């Protein structure tokens, strides 16, 4: 209580002042009008005078608005009126008119006085109002202002508990009742008061114990049934508000289920759906039903990956160590959180650079504040003698070119390396073939029995037993750029020319024809035959023996624009209601497992009533498919190997579909709290029939796409010790256009390890005498696959000392990609970079003459091969291992860092380091870099000017990219160093290796919201363009960092490059640091706070409504 209030309260302990003394006090103070009125009210004892003053105050505050109420509160008016209320309550028969005026005045003042609840409790006013309420339940004239004041009292959590003990909850249930056209204002206030009281867990339990939940549901039904003209929607919403608060506790949810609340709210909501103005009722009902929906167990025997790769060296600590120390027989799927009784807190911090996933305030806490840690150390953690072994990877530093033999012994032939590995039988599905019954994924599928050769139409074709030939082109085929060809499958021969006696054959001996497009002109780096050779040398944990059609025949980027999908109003709510129907109408649910990698044998049902699924090919990921309705399937993704989570990447095959029927697919074990699928991103689909018809390409597809929290619980084991977390559903609907089609779905454009090997083989063939190209094996992965290291630069003009010296002393640019397998867009950007570097254009030649490129195009081959989303076979995120990588567990990171350490040790620190990534939560392409100054600016740390001195050169490359690349957004870039990112490549290379221009380049998985591609989803053409424009930006950077050298060399080429920049320079931005979610709130929002405990946080409601307080609530707070 403020001083003035205390002073006025103390006055009541003295004898009443004389009128003359009161007049003198007022006149000598020079008081304002409000002070005069309050002083008069405080000092008078005449009832009629008090009533007159209260009438004046009521009039003043009614017409004066909030400002006048604020003056009233600031002058201590609240305390004076409360004290008067308490004094009047002590009388044997208080004046009804006085109580009416006092409560009417308090009802106006209370909501504007932040300390009203505390003042009322300390003055003892709560009991006065409660007693008055009990005595006047039938006196509606006095009851209404009492309820209005009680509503304000109850907004304070301590008051709510106290009032509940005084029996106010029971009083409210005496006031509220079934439908009536009378006293609707009174009923609305009573319901709001009850809802405020029920935010207290204690009061909610009290309501459950007294069987008030069925009563509330009955009242809601009655109002719904009788309010046919929807004039009392606010009353109906207030009833739902009471139910919503009761169901915040477990007992309330159980009582709701027992009272058949799910069916009641589902039916009433269904009747409200056609009326748009009733959306608030539908939204609140949906929230309650989703909250009360019993948490289901994920339909898996274990959350660990189906596939297992034993580790010879298990980490000493961390999730992988816990996984290996887990006792056998432990049920790691069950949720131990007691049905989400506790508040769910999302702490998504499992990504390298997705800063927008966290609360901005939490991000500020994560920013590095130690200046010493922000300074570059450049301290060798390994002795130089140990690093000397990496000298063999830098022969360009000592090459003299006297023999001019650049190829012999300097490149690793992929075919040679693959030849040392046993070749396996590879199978490719056809549009007429049926996938075979599933076999144990840990073992290779058995070959068909020679005595009973299956028919070709019913069996995948064994590519080791076929020969490939071209058939003449038809008129329709000529419509293609290169026309269509036919792949003739001959069961008498194998690809390698050997005997194909074990291959499947037609009983009639006739050949089966698989038409395939010849896209050699459009895809110069793709060769299906070479791809098969590459696949046979790829080692996978499951021992894959099949090849996905899209990977075999390639992808030609479509020549039409694919716009970001406009969100349909009501789609998310509609999907949620369909999920709720599963509980309402359980007999309608088929719950038929049609694909399951956990079973050694999953029979394929040929009744034509279900789809057929397959994911047993390189980079495939689909663990289980369950038919829940005739045309709806729940899909479960596989965890990363040696892990129990990271579900995001998917790639699977579907067949046996009906034409023209909308199929709904639900991926039910996603983990991120939000996704670009909520902002217009679509899945990728590849149709075999379309490919045969001349369109071999991935296309964006799907309608009714949304991403929301579901009723499947995540165990604390899967959630890193956190209890009460749920999985999320990504749902989409597809209508297939072709009969007997085979379609593939993917999270993003697939790019397999075998594709990379094929591309590198083709790139090597493009080498001209002017290009210095060397491919080596950096190391072998845990899975036995090669990690390629490329060196690309220009050959010296001659063997003269000057030219050799210039060749050796070119600055180094170090590029890496695909450390996270699910970020396939990074590989497409890298493909664009490599193609540009190996091209014959004058700009590419100038770039090669400017730098020596050391490139590792795929840092995590094992993860890519086995369909992981984030981890390697060690079960760890490799981009969190750069501080202390293990040669045994993280060989690619260990040796990559060693290469960089060697360069620093010999004084050849790279000019630029860039790690290509993909981003699942933001649009556009952008960069993360490192800056001491910009990091300190985001904190309150005081630093001297000398500490903040740094070269601003780290900004140059992003600025150039914003001028060159239409997909690049400078405003999305950030150069802040966070503590949680200290073990990532970007930060370690900047801090330990001393590379000032150390970046992560993030490419969106969705599309762009600025520039030339605004409103479009990103495709492989745009991603490859980004890779090539990165090269052009590097050339421009070289010109800026060494102008004399380049201006004297190929001046006309630089002028051409400058013209290119000037014509495309249209993006400028004064700031680069973006911490908040870059997405606007979309119309349809879901409240994920169903399990929140608002009682413990009086400001919880305000926090949930504050867009900056929680990025999840920014766009998922309510349904519309």
């Amino acid at each position: 209580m403020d001083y003035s209030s205390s002073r006025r309260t103390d006055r009541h302990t003295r004898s009443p002042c004389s009128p003359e003394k009161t007049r003198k006090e007022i006149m000598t103070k020079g008081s304002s009008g409000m002070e005069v009125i309050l002083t008069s009210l405080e000092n008078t004892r005449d009832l009629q005078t008090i009533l007159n003053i209260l009438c004046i105050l009521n009039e003043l505050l009614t017409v004066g608005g909030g400002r006048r109420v604020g003056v009233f509160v600031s002058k201590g008016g609240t305390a004076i009126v409360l004290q008067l209320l308490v004094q009047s309550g002590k009388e044997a028969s208080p004046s009804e008119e006085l109580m009416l005026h006092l409560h009417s005045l308090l009802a106006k003042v209370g909501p504007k006085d932040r300390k009203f609840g505390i003042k009322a409790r300390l003055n003892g006013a709560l009991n006065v109002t409660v007693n008055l309420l009990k005595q006047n339940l039938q006196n509606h004239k006095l009851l209404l202002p009492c309820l209005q004041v009680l509503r304000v009292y109850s907004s304070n959590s301590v008051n709510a508990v106290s009032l509940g003990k005084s029996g106010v909850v029971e009083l409210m249930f005496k006031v509220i009742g079934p439908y009536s056209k009378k006293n609707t204002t009174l009923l609305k206030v009573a319901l709001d008061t009850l809802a405020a009281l029920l935010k207290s867990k204690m009061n909610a339990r009290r309501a459950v114990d007294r069987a008030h939940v069925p009563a509330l549901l009955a009242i809601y039904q009655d109002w719904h049934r009788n309010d046919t003209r929807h004039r009392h929607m606010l009353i109906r919403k207030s009833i739902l508000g009471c139910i919503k608060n009761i169901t915040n506790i477990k007992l309330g949810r159980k009582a709701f289920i027992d009272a058949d609340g799910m069916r009641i709210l589902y039916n009433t909501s269904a009747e409200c759906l056609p009326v748009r103005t009733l959306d608030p009722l539908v939204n609140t009902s949906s929230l309650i039903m989703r909250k009360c929906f019993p948490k289901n167990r994920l339909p898996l025997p274990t959350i660990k990956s189906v596939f297992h790769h034993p580790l010879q060296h298990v980490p000493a600590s961390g999730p992988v160590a816990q996984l290996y120390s887990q006792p056998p027989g432990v049920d790691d799927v069950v949720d131990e959180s007691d049905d989400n009784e506790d508040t769910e807190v999302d702490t998504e911090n499992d990504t390298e650079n997705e800063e927008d996933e966290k609360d901005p305030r939490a991000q500020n806490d994560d920013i590095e504040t130690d200046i010493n840690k922000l300074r570059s150390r450049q301290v060798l953690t390994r002795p130089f003698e140990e690093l000397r072994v990496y000298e063999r990877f830098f022969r360009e530093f000592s090459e003299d070119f006297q023999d001019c033999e650049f190829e012999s012994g300097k490149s690793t032939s992929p075919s040679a390396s693959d030849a040392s590995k046993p070749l396996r039988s590879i199978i490719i599905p056809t549009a007429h073939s049926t996938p075979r019954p599933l076999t144990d994924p840990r073992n290779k599928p058995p070959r068909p029995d020679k005595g009973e050769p299956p028919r070709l139409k019913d069996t995948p074709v064994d590519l080791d037993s076929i020969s490939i030939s071209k058939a003449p082109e038809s008129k329709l085929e000529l419509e293609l750029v290169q026309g269509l060809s036919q792949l003739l499958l001959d069961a008498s021969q194998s690809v390698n020319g050997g005997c194909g006696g074990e291959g499947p054959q037609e009983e009639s001996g006739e050949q089966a024809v698989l038409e395939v497009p010849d896209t050699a002109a459009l895809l110069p780096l793709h060769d299906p035959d070479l791809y098969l050779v590459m696949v046979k040398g790829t080692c996978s944990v499951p021992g894959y023996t099949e090849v996905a059609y899209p990977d075999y025949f390639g992808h030609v980027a479509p020549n039409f624009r694919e716009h970001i999908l406009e969100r349909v109003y009501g789609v998310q709510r509609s999907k949620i209601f369909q999920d709720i129907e599963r509980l309402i109408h359980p007999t309608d649910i088929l719950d038929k497992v049609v694909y399951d990698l956990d079973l050694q044998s999953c029979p394929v049902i040929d009744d034509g009533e279900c789809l057929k699924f397959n994911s047993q090919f390189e980079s495939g990921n689909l663990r289980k498919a369950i038919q829940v309705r005739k045309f709806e399937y729940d899909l479960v993704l596989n965890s990363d190997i040696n892990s129990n989570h990271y579900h995001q990447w998917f790639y699977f095959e579907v067949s046996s579909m009906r034409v023209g029927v909308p199929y709904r697919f639900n991926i039910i074990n996603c983990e991120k709290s939000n996704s670009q699928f909520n902002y217009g991103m679509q899945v990728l689909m590849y149709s075999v029939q379309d490919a045969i018809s001349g369109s071999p390409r991935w296309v964006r597809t799907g309608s009714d796409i949304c991403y929301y929290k579901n009723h499947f619980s995540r165990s604390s084991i899967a959630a890193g010790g956190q209890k009460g977390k749920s999985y999320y559903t990504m749902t989409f609907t597809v209508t297939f256009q072709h009969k007997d089609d085979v379609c593939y779905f993917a999270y993003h454009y697939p790019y397999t390890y075998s594709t990379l090997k094929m591309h590198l083989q083709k790139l090597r063939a493009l080498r001209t005498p002017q290009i210095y190209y060397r491919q080596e094996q950096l190391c072998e992965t845990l899975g036995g696959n090669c990690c390629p290291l490329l060196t690309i630069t220009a050959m010296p003009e001659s063997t003269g000392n000057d030219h050799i010296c210039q060749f050796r002393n070119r600055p180094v640019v170090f590029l890496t990609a695909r450390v996270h397998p699910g970020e396939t867009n990074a590989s497409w950007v890298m493909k664009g970079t490599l193609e540009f570097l190996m091209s014959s254009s004058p700009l590419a030649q100038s770039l090669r003459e400017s730098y020596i490129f050391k490139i590792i195009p795929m840092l995590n081959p094992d993860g890519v091969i086995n369909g992981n989303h984030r981890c390697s076979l060690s079960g760890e995120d490799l981009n969190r291992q750069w501080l202390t990588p293990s040669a045994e567990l993280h060989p690619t990171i260990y040796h990559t860092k060693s290469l960089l350490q060697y360069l620093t040790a010999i004084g050849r620190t790279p000019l630029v380091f860039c790690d290509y990534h993909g981003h699942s939560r933001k649009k556009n392409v952008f960069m993360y870099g490192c800056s001491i100054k910009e990091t300190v600016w985001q904190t309150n740390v005081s630093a001297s000017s000398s500490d903040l001195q740094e070269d601003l050169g780290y900004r140059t490359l992003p600025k150039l990219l914003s001028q060159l690349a239409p997909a690049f957004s400078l405003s999305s870039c950030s150069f802040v160093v966070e503590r949680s990112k200290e073990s990532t490549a970007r930060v370690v290379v900047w801090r330990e290796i001393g590379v000032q221009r150390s970046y992560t380049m993030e490419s969106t998985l969705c599309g762009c919201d600025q520039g030339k591609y605004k409103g479009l989803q990103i495709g492989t053409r745009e991603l490859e363009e980004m890779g090539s424009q990165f090269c052009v930006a590097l050339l421009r950077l070289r010109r800026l960092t060494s102008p004399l050298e380049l201006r004297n060399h190929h001046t006309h080429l630089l002028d051409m490059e400058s013209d290119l920049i000037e014509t495309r320079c249209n993006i400028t931005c004064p700031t680069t640091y973006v911490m908040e979610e870059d997405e606007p709130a979309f119309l349809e929002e879901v409240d994920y706070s169903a399990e929140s405990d608002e009682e413990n946080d009086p400001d919880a409601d305000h926090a949930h409504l504050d867009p900056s307080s929680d990025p999840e609530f920014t766009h998922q707070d309510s349904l519309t």
Side-chain angles (χ1 to χ4, degrees), residues 829-841:
V829 176
M830 178 59 75
K831 179 175 181 284
T833 295
L834 292 175
E835 287 190 36
F836 184 91
L837 285 174
M838 295 298 292
S839 69
S840 59
S841 72

Side-chain angles (χ1 to χ4, degrees), residues 380-388:
L380 285 180
T381 57
R382 298 171 62 187
F384 181 71
E385 290 302 321
E386 187 177 329
L387 293 172
R388 192 183 292 275

Side-chain angles (χ1 to χ4, degrees), residues 789-808:
L789 167 66
L790 310 180
T791 303
I792 302 176
T793 187
M795 293 289 291
E797 290 188 16
S798 70
T799 57
N801 289 337
D802 290 344
H803 290 142
I804 295 295
C805 183
Q806 190 275 342
F807 171 86
R808 293 177 179 176

Side-chain angles (χ1 to χ4, degrees), residues 819-975:
V819 69
H820 294 147
E823 297 169 6
T824 58
N825 45 358
S827 283
W828 289 101
V829 176
M830 178 59 75
K831 179 175 181 284
T833 295
L834 292 175
E835 287 190 36
F836 184 91
L837 285 174
M838 295 298 292
S839 69
S840 59
S841 72
L843 279 178
Q845 178 62 20
S846 181
L847 182 64
R848 290 191 294 266
E849 292 172 353
S850 303
Y851 299 104
I852 295 175
F853 286 88
K854 307 296 287 190
I855 302 175
I856 303 176
M858 191 171 285
L859 279 169
N860 191 353
D862 291 341
V864 172
I865 294 166
N866 294 287
N868 286 4
H869 171 65
R870 195 163 190 85
C871 299
S872 68
L873 292 186
S874 69
E876 297 169 295
D877 182 348
L878 291 182
N879 204 34
R880 286 294 190 277
Q881 312 304 323
W882 279 79
L883 273 178
T884 55
S886 164
E888 292 79 18
L889 291 172
H890 328 113
T892 60
I893 304 302
Y894 178 85
H895 293 294
T896 302
K897 184 177 181 180
S898 298
L899 292 178
L900 291 162
Q901 288 174 321
Y902 174 78
L903 286 170
T904 299
I906 63 173
R908 298 297 299 272
T909 301
L911 179 70
V912 173
F913 172 86
C914 191
D915 189 18
Y916 292 4
H917 279 255
H919 205 291
S920 67
R921 295 282 297 271
K922 297 179 71 174
K923 291 183 171 66
N924 310 312
V925 182
F926 50 94
M927 274 183 160
Y928 293 116
C930 302
S931 164
I932 298 177
K933 185 177 296 185
E934 298 197 36
T935 302
V936 173
W937 282 349
Q938 300 300 323
T939 67
N940 295 323
V941 176
S942 59
S944 63
S945 58
S946 59
D947 290 330
L948 298 181
Q949 287 183 355
E950 66 178 341
D951 186 351
L952 296 180
Y954 65 87
R955 282 177 164 271
T956 308
L957 188 57
K959 178 66 175 179
L960 291 171
L961 284 171
S962 72
Q963 299 169 352
L964 283 165
F968 193 87
S969 171
L970 188 61
S971 63
S972 296
C973 296
S974 173
F975 303 94

Side-chain angles (χ1 to χ4, degrees), residues 376-528:
S376 177
R377 293 199 300 258
Q378 282 190 288
V379 176
L380 285 180
T381 57
R382 298 171 62 187
F384 181 71
E385 290 302 321
E386 187 177 329
L387 293 172
R388 192 183 292 275
V389 297
Y390 294 95
E391 182 179 3
R392 64 188 178 91
F393 294 107
F394 298 96
R395 282 175 283 180
E396 62 275 8
F397 292 163
S398 58
E399 186 73 73
D400 57 12
F401 298 98
Q402 295 303 316
D403 54 1
C404 292
E405 292 292 338
F406 308 123
E407 180 177 350
S408 177
K410 292 185 176 65
S411 62
T412 302
S413 171
S415 58
S417 62
D418 291 333
S420 62
K421 300 178 182 179
L423 298 182
R424 294 175 286 107
S425 171
I426 303 298
I427 298 173
I428 179 167
T430 72
H432 301 286
S433 67
T434 302
R436 54 169 167 33
L438 301 183
T439 59
D440 186 355
R442 300 166 183 80
N443 302 318
K444 296 180 181 180
R447 286 189 174 273
D449 185 19
K450 294 181 182 179
E452 298 179 348
R455 293 182 302 169
L456 185 60
K457 290 185 179 180
D458 298 327
T459 314
V461 180
D462 189 339
L463 292 181
D464 274 350
S465 63
I466 63 173
S467 61
I468 302 174
S469 60
K470 302 280 186 175
E473 297 176 346
S474 66
K475 293 182 180 179
L476 292 176
E477 292 166 344
L478 291 176
E479 295 178 1
L480 281 173
V481 176
Q482 291 297 317
L484 292 175
S485 3
Q486 292 182 326
L487 181 64
L488 304 181
L489 309 183
D490 185 356
S492 64
Q493 294 181 341
S494 69
V495 172
N496 299 321
C499 177
E502 291 185 352
Q505 298 179 356
E506 291 274 11
E507 292 182 3
S508 63
E510 297 179 356
Q511 293 179 330
V513 177
L514 174 64
E515 297 177 339
V516 298
D518 184 356
T519 56
L522 297 176
L523 297 173
L525 297 186
H526 192 89
D527 183 342

